[in-house]
Amino acid sequence: RIFVLGIGFFTLCFLMTSLGGQFSAKRLGDSPFTIRTEVMGALESRGVLRRMSDMLEMLMKRMDILARLENSTDLHKGDEARFPLDRFQPAAGLMERIQAIAQNVSDIAIKVDQILRNSLLNGKVMEGRRDQCEVPRDPKYPDCAAKVEWMRARWTSDPCYAFFGVDGTECSFLIYLSEVEWFCPPLPWRNRTVAVPSPPPPPRVQAAFRRDLARLLELIGTGKESLSFMKKRIRHLAQQWLRAARRLEEKLAGRQRDQKHILVHIGFLTEESGDVFSPRVLKGGPLGEMVQWADILAALFILGHSLRVTVSLKELQSHLGVPPGRGNCPLTSPLPFDLIYTDYHGLQQMKQHMGLSFKKYRCRVRVIDTFGTEPAYNHEEYATLRGYRTNWGYWNLQPAQFMTMFPHTPDNSFMGFVSEELNQTERQLIKANKVSSMAVVYGKEASIWKGKEKFLAILNKYMEIHGTVYYETQRPPEVPAFVKNHGLLPQHEFQQLLRKAKLFIGFGFPYEGPAPLEAIANGCVFLQARFNPPHSSLNHEFFRGKPTSREATGTTVLQVSSQHPYAEDFIGKPHVWTVDYNNSEEFEAAIKTIMRTQVDPYLPYEYTSEGMLERIHAYIQHQDFCTTSSLPPSPKTRSPAMQSPPSPLALSPNATHLVWSPSAGQAPQAWPPVASLQVWVSEPQHTCTETCRHHGLVCEPTFFRFLNKEEVFLQLSIACDSTESEMNHLYPAVAENVRECYLQKEPLLFSCAGSNTKYRRLCPCRDFRPGQVALCRDCL
């Protein structure tokens, strides 16, 4: 009996092992598509095998009891006659139960075999389908064949393709190109769930002004000196921000504001970009970018939006849903952010890792760009053909997606930063404690002082000179002995130094930083050099490669006439003096006059916390670059039967310019509102920026689409013998000497910058709020 039971037991074990091997084995050539079919059967099969294992364990226990009984019988063969025969009846019953269990296991094995056969059959059907795929010829998908050809040759070049199920077969290429990307039509044999109408999106959460900045400081994180600097700045200005938030909340009077999900990725602080700023924070390095980023974070948070902050590439990939690989595939899920604020480094990182999704979602990006990017440099094809291509341009974004530190050009959006604000008591105290013979030099690096001995000697005749130059303890500062150098000062102590000084003097570098505005806000006069000739990419290394022209000519060269053009143009005397440092007499006369001049602390409204909150609020609620407005057909493509709609513009009462006609019917949904539009014609070699400023207005590039029409030339009494439509950042314009008129063919090239002696340009202008050039009067 023991022998028979042993044979049965080992037979069951063999069956168990065989079945388990069929479940666990997987061919190397199986693709993810066949595996998915077999897994469904495997889940059921594992449950069957688990029950078989339990039964076999019970069988082993019963056999062990029977074996002990048999051994006991062998030891007492001589006493066999004394044991009654019914003592073996339980063993006989046990045998029957074991036989029943064996029968059950046999039935289960048959069921498992059926499952496996069905699974293999399904796999073969799928395999046949995979082998029989052909590239569809659908005119709606003209790039499908070329994309499949590319996949054949390059599908192993990035692991992300395998992540999405590509295994080298023709069908896997087509499945990927139709379901992950969108270059091929869906395959008809794919089991696709019938589309169920999605429920309407939940109502937008309304943004509410925040009063506590503790959560923002947590979001910024730790581990970098640059982050510590930004957090200190936010804490220092916290009360100023909160007072501004209360004033803006009252101004908006309960107006509904949608809360946006916003990702802030500071690319220049990532290790992959080199993070050259963090190590220099404590050594006098440039802090202007970090000042601006700290203020952007504070403004977005206080306005009540949902923020995520990243300063590493790994965090960026995680937040975006980047698939594993080298960045050639789209994101694994829809982008969860309404807006992304980043810089040029972050923009490059996003393009590298988002694949095709970058093109789809780039309209949600806002690029913090210190010096600005003008349309001629932003349009890739145009920049390449015309020689405007630089290291930082050619992104084909809407020019207003670039956000600058100062309002260089209306083509970009002016983001700005904030300066410390003073109450009336502090202002009076500063005026009372000013030392008229005290000057502070703008520059924390010793290199800025080199070659400036002549200016410093003249200044030293009249004023005590103070510096804030960083130096190592074992190395003396490289400044003249008569300069009182304080070393690198914390922001609060630097503010105290400015509140005593009469003069804040710049020696030409750094360009356009926040320090001059801070000095003017603390009652200093800012003295800066006039550049003669103006600095440009032709004569100064710093500007080489910058994607902007500022004072554009036919050759489009960046020209900066002073160290801080905003201070020169928007503030001016008595707070800002711009003189020729090469003229010693002019330089010395300016110092004497400044010492006698009394000035009050001054801060432009657009650089107050309220001004920045107001500006960012308007941008978030009104700027939309994901919906584009179509242009009217160009003259070359317009059918003779097509009639152009009447122009919504009309001559102003004095017939000098065009305005939006009150009889034009319902005004289009546009921001800024079209009621603020005025159309002026520039003089030759004048930019639209200059033309609008001459009339007390601001150039507004979003309005170009309303005046890019032949009818507008007629309304302005401009005779056109011919009208052409071309790509040129100076169009629409007229060449009066030959009576030729030109319309803009490419909307991305509408530009307020640029001029040429040959053309008079049509310029769209608008009004602006006092102290806030970024917004028209009705733009809030």
Side-chain angles (χ1 to χ4, degrees):
R1 289 177 184 149
I2 293 297
F3 176 76
V4 172
L5 288 174
I7 292 296
F9 171 72
F10 285 114
T11 301
L12 290 174
C13 288
F14 178 76
L15 176 62
M16 178 76 172
T17 305
S18 299
L19 292 174
Q22 291 186 54
F23 281 110
S24 61
K26 187 180 78 173
R27 293 166 295 166
L28 293 177
D30 281 347
S31 77
F33 305 103
T34 56
I35 292 171
R36 288 172 189 159
T37 306
E38 294 175 2
V39 164
M40 293 182 63
L43 292 175
E44 184 178 353
S45 303
R46 290 193 186 100
V48 173
L49 291 177
R50 193 178 299 113
R51 292 193 294 273
M52 290 174 62
S53 177
D54 294 340
M55 292 177 183
L56 287 174
E57 185 178 357
M58 184 183 300
L59 178 63
M60 291 174 63
K61 291 179 181 178
R62 298 295 175 88
M63 290 181 63
D64 183 63
I65 295 172
L66 184 60
R68 286 200 298 270
L69 289 174
E70 189 67 24
N71 289 338
S72 174
T73 302
D74 290 339
L75 291 173
H76 300 90
K77 284 182 180 180
D79 298 331
E80 187 177 7
R82 290 180 292 173
F83 285 88
L85 193 60
D86 60 0
R87 288 286 301 271
F88 289 97
Q89 294 304 316
L94 179 61
M95 286 293 294
E96 293 176 359
R97 284 193 290 271
I98 291 175
Q99 289 175 355
I101 292 172
Q103 183 62 44
N104 289 336
V105 171
S106 177
D107 295 340
I108 292 171
I110 293 172
K111 183 177 180 181
V112 170
D113 183 63
Q114 291 174 346
I115 293 172
L116 287 173
R117 287 178 183 274
N118 291 335
S119 177
L120 292 173
L121 180 61
N122 290 337
K124 289 180 179 179
V125 172
M126 183 65 71
E127 188 76 28
R129 283 179 175 171
R130 294 192 309 131
D131 292 341
Q132 295 172 6
C133 280
E134 294 182 359
V135 179
R137 304 296 178 183
D138 189 332
K140 296 179 181 178
Y141 300 89
D143 299 322
C144 183
K147 289 293 181 180
V148 171
E149 190 65 31
W150 188 94
M151 291 291 289
R152 288 192 192 109
R154 301 293 303 278
W155 76 272
T156 59
S157 62
D158 194 323
C160 72
Y161 297 118
F163 172 82
F164 282 110
V166 177
D167 60 0
T169 61
E170 205 80 350
C171 279
S172 70
F173 298 154
L174 291 171
I175 291 170
Y176 173 82
L177 291 172
S178 61
E179 298 179 14
V180 180
E181 297 184 6
W182 46 88
F183 293 104
C184 295
L187 298 176
W189 53 266
R190 288 284 289 172
N191 291 328
R192 302 178 64 84
T193 306
V194 178
V196 178
S198 56
R204 277 278 189 180
V205 175
Q206 293 301 302
F209 285 93
R210 293 192 176 100
R211 304 284 184 246
D212 186 357
L213 299 181
R215 174 57 183 156
L216 173 60
L217 301 178
E218 293 177 9
L219 288 172
I220 293 173
T222 58
K224 293 177 180 286
E225 289 294 339
S226 50
L227 299 180
S228 299
F229 172 85
M230 289 192 283
K231 290 165 74 172
K232 288 178 182 176
R233 176 174 175 82
I234 291 171
R235 278 193 290 263
H236 179 67
L237 298 177
Q239 293 305 312
Q240 175 177 315
W241 280 113
L242 297 180
R243 288 192 298 268
R246 284 192 290 270
R247 292 193 296 268
L248 180 58
E249 189 172 15
E250 293 174 1
K251 188 183 298 184
L252 295 177
R255 194 175 304 171
Q256 295 294 303
R257 298 184 301 117
D258 290 341
Q259 185 187 65
K260 305 290 185 180
H261 295 280
I262 299 175
L263 174 65
V264 178
H265 176 62
I266 311 177
F268 74 87
L269 293 183
T270 61
E271 298 300 329
E272 290 76 12
S273 68
D275 188 13
V276 297
F277 284 88
S278 293
R280 300 172 63 190
V281 169
L282 301 178
K283 297 182 179 181
L287 302 178
E289 287 86 350
M290 279 172 280
V291 164
Q292 187 181 33
W293 276 108
D295 295 347
I296 291 170
L297 287 167
L300 293 173
F301 185 81
I302 288 171
L303 285 170
H305 298 291
S306 174
L307 295 187
R308 290 289 182 271
V309 183
T310 67
V311 291
S312 78
L313 185 57
K314 185 176 181 181
E315 288 178 324
L316 174 67
Q317 292 172 321
S318 174
H319 286 308
L320 294 179
V322 175
R326 300 187 180 94
N328 290 308
C329 298
L331 302 181
T332 58
S333 58
L335 186 69
F337 300 103
D338 301 304
L339 294 170
I340 299 177
Y341 287 82
T342 188
D343 52 26
Y344 262 125
H345 295 282
L347 193 64
Q348 182 64 50
Q349 291 168 350
M350 290 169 57
K351 181 179 180 181
Q352 181 180 352
H353 293 278
M354 290 176 66
L356 289 174
S357 295
F358 178 77
K359 185 176 181 180
K360 180 179 180 180
Y361 293 120
R362 64 183 177 183
C363 61
R364 304 187 191 183
V365 174
R366 305 293 183 266
V367 184
I368 307 305
D369 177 12
T370 302
F371 290 96
T373 299
E374 291 177 1
Y377 300 82
N378 169 62
H379 192 280
E380 184 175 17
E381 179 186 358
Y382 185 77
T384 303
L385 291 174
R386 299 297 184 94
Y388 298 142
R389 184 158 180 149
T390 66
N391 293 334
W392 299 105
Y394 63 85
W395 284 93
N396 292 324
L397 300 178
Q398 293 291 333
Q401 289 179 254
F402 297 99
M403 299 187 141
T404 59
M405 184 172 282
F406 293 94
H408 305 306
T409 168
D411 293 323
N412 301 149
S413 298
F414 164 46
M415 171 60 76
F417 57 93
V418 304
S419 289
E420 189 164 357
E421 301 167 39
L422 307 174
N423 58 38
Q424 193 59 35
T425 301
E426 290 171 325
R427 293 165 66 90
Q428 294 299 328
L429 192 62
I430 286 174
K431 290 179 65 176
N433 293 331
K434 279 291 178 185
V435 179
S436 61
S437 60
M438 178 178 173
V440 175
V441 174
Y442 181 16
K444 295 173 291 185
E445 295 182 345
S447 60
I448 295 173
W449 296 64
K450 292 180 180 179
K452 308 302 188 299
E453 292 80 7
K454 180 180 178 181
F455 313 134
L456 290 169
I458 296 174
L459 182 61
N460 188 49
K461 290 166 52 178
Y462 301 95
M463 295 182 138
E464 180 180 83
I465 304 174
H466 294 250
T468 56
V469 182
Y470 169 81
Y471 64 95
E472 304 285 354
T473 54
Q474 64 272 22
R475 297 178 60 187
E478 300 178 21
V479 297
F482 54 78
V483 174
K484 184 177 181 181
N485 185 39
H486 299 261
L488 196 64
L489 293 178
Q491 187 70 12
H492 179 68
E493 294 183 28
F494 181 63
Q495 294 278 350
Q496 296 301 319
L497 188 65
L498 292 176
R499 292 182 179 188
K500 291 182 181 180
K502 176 72 173 182
L503 178 67
F504 189 63
I505 182 170
F507 287 140
F509 191 82
Y511 297 101
E512 299 183 310
L517 265 67
E518 294 177 351
I520 296 167
N522 282 286
C524 293
V525 173
F526 177 50
L527 177 64
Q528 64 172 345
R530 177 185 297 113
F531 299 148
N532 189 17
H535 287 185
S536 71
S537 58
L538 298 180
N539 60 20
H540 203 283
E541 183 64 30
F542 178 83
F543 293 106
R544 199 155 290 137
K546 296 290 189 297
T548 177
S549 62
R550 302 282 178 83
E551 304 299 330
T553 65
T555 55
T556 312
V557 175
L558 172 70
Q559 297 182 349
V560 177
S561 59
S562 64
Q563 181 176 353
H564 206 291
Y566 176 84
E568 178 184 6
D569 296 335
F570 286 82
I571 300 177
K573 292 181 180 180
H575 302 280
V576 179
W577 290 62
T578 306
V579 301
D580 183 1
Y581 280 22
N582 294 320
N583 186 330
S584 299
E585 293 181 358
E586 183 182 357
F587 179 75
E588 190 168 358
I591 293 173
K592 292 179 181 178
T593 305
I594 288 169
M595 292 180 68
R596 297 192 302 266
T597 304
Q598 295 294 322
V599 296
D600 293 329
Y602 173 72
L603 180 62
Y605 174 76
E606 55 201 3
Y607 284 98
T608 65
S609 293
E610 184 179 352
M612 187 168 184
L613 286 174
E614 182 180 274
R615 195 162 55 247
I616 294 183
H617 153 74
Y619 289 155
I620 290 176
Q621 298 302 319
H622 299 293
Q623 281 186 336
D624 181 7
F625 304 113
C626 296
T627 56
T628 57
S629 300
S630 60
L631 285 172
S634 65
K636 289 185 177 180
T637 60
R638 184 181 299 161
S639 167
M642 294 177 63
Q643 295 296 321
S644 176
S647 172
L649 304 175
L651 273 174
S652 62
N654 58 6
T656 57
H657 61 280
L658 300 180
V659 296
W660 193 266
S661 173
S663 61
Q666 185 176 1
Q669 292 294 324
W671 191 85
V674 293
S676 63
L677 168 62
Q678 297 183 27
V679 182
W680 291 83
V681 182
S682 76
E683 294 299 322
Q685 207 170 355
H686 279 207
T687 69
C688 282
T689 301
E690 295 170 324
T691 300
C692 295
R693 187 181 299 171
H694 176 73
H695 296 288
L697 303 168
V698 174
C699 181
E700 180 50 62
T702 61
F703 288 156
F704 268 113
R705 61 192 175 102
F706 298 119
L707 52 96
N708 191 53
K709 301 177 182 179
E710 293 181 61
E711 296 80 6
V712 175
F713 290 107
L714 297 175
Q715 288 180 292
L716 289 166
S717 301
I718 297 174
C720 302
D721 288 343
S722 65
T723 304
E724 300 291 335
S725 181
E726 298 178 5
M727 285 200 313
N728 191 309
H729 70 286
L730 302 179
Y731 295 166
V734 56
E736 286 190 323
N737 56 336
V738 291
R739 297 165 62 104
E740 292 178 349
C741 296
Y742 300 93
L743 299 177
Q744 179 60 257
K745 186 178 180 180
E746 172 52 67
L748 287 181
L749 287 174
F750 284 139
S751 177
C752 293
S755 65
N756 191 293
T757 55
K758 177 182 175 181
Y759 298 119
R760 296 183 68 197
R761 302 188 57 191
L762 301 191
C763 297
C765 307
R766 63 163 169 83
D767 55 32
F768 58 92
R769 297 172 68 83
Q772 184 79 284
V773 296
L775 304 179
C776 69
R777 291 196 180 108
D778 297 324
C779 277
L780 191 58

